[in-house]
């Protein structure tokens, strides 16, 4: 049985098919599931490793920046104590704010690296 529906010069055939959608689907084999899983892991593993290396690089840069901020803060603190020096309190305050933000970024990077390590360990388990 075929029924035609027309609207704006477009015709859609709604005739019924002899095979149903569920008949067309087959259960994937264990082998095909494992192959798909392995293919996905082949693609994801290098990305995880690259991200991990980038996180390590960023953390090293952040640690260097943190040390430099600490050094500048100490120098500015010495300048504050000298009575004839120009006003540097604002600079010290900005450096302290930067130090706090840098600490927050470092904590976030550590969390990201821990997550990447968990994903990599899941990959190694499978």
């Amino acid at each position: 049985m075929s029924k035609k529906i027309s609207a704006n010069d477009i015709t859609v055939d709604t005739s019924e098919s002899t095979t149903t959608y569920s008949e067309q689907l087959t259960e994937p084999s264990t082998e095909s599931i494992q192959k798909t899983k392995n293919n996905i892991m082949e693609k994801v593993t290098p990305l995880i490793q690259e991200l991990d290396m980038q996180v390590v690089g960023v953390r090293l840069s952040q640690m260097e920046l943190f040390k430099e901020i600490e050094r500048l803060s100490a120098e500015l603190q010495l300048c504050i104590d000298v009575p004839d020096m120009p006003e540097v309190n604002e600079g010290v305050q900005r450096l302290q704010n930067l130090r706090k933000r840098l600490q927050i970024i470092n904590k976030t990077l550590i969390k990201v690296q821990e997550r990447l390590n968990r994903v990599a360990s899941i990959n190694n388990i499978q």
Side-chain angles (χ1 to χ4, degrees):
M1 174 177 142
S2 179
K3 182 167 94 177
K4 303 275 183 182
I5 301 172
S6 296
N8 298 330
D9 299 327
I10 298 174
T11 304
V12 177
D13 187 358
T14 59
S15 62
E16 294 185 27
S17 173
T18 56
T19 58
T20 63
Y21 182 70
S22 61
E23 291 173 346
Q24 295 172 358
L25 296 178
T26 59
E27 286 294 319
S29 68
T30 305
E31 182 181 317
S32 67
I33 291 172
Q34 189 62 40
K35 187 176 180 181
T36 302
K37 192 181 203 183
N38 290 340
N39 287 338
I40 290 171
M41 292 313 292
E42 275 181 28
K43 303 294 185 211
V44 171
T45 300
L47 294 174
I48 291 172
Q49 291 171 343
E50 182 180 339
L51 283 172
D52 192 41
M53 294 303 295
Q54 289 175 354
V55 167
V56 168
V58 169
R59 286 189 62 206
L60 291 173
S61 296
Q62 294 290 335
M63 289 187 328
E64 289 175 22
L65 180 59
F66 185 76
K67 288 177 185 177
E68 186 64 19
I69 289 173
E70 285 290 320
R71 187 188 65 76
L72 286 173
S73 290
E75 284 185 32
L76 285 174
Q77 192 63 41
L78 292 174
C79 292
I80 288 174
D81 296 336
V82 176
D84 295 336
M85 291 298 287
E87 190 64 39
V88 292
N89 286 336
E90 184 178 319
V92 171
Q93 184 63 36
R94 288 177 59 196
L95 277 174
Q96 289 172 346
N97 290 339
L98 283 173
R99 183 183 330 146
K100 288 176 187 176
R101 291 193 318 206
L102 187 58
Q103 287 172 334
I104 291 169
I105 290 170
N106 280 333
K107 287 178 184 178
T108 303
L109 285 172
I110 289 169
K111 289 178 185 179
V112 168
Q113 189 166 21
E114 288 170 354
R115 288 178 187 156
L116 286 172
N117 289 339
R118 283 195 303 259
V119 170
S121 68
I122 288 171
N123 181 27
N124 291 335
I125 291 171
Q126 298 173 357

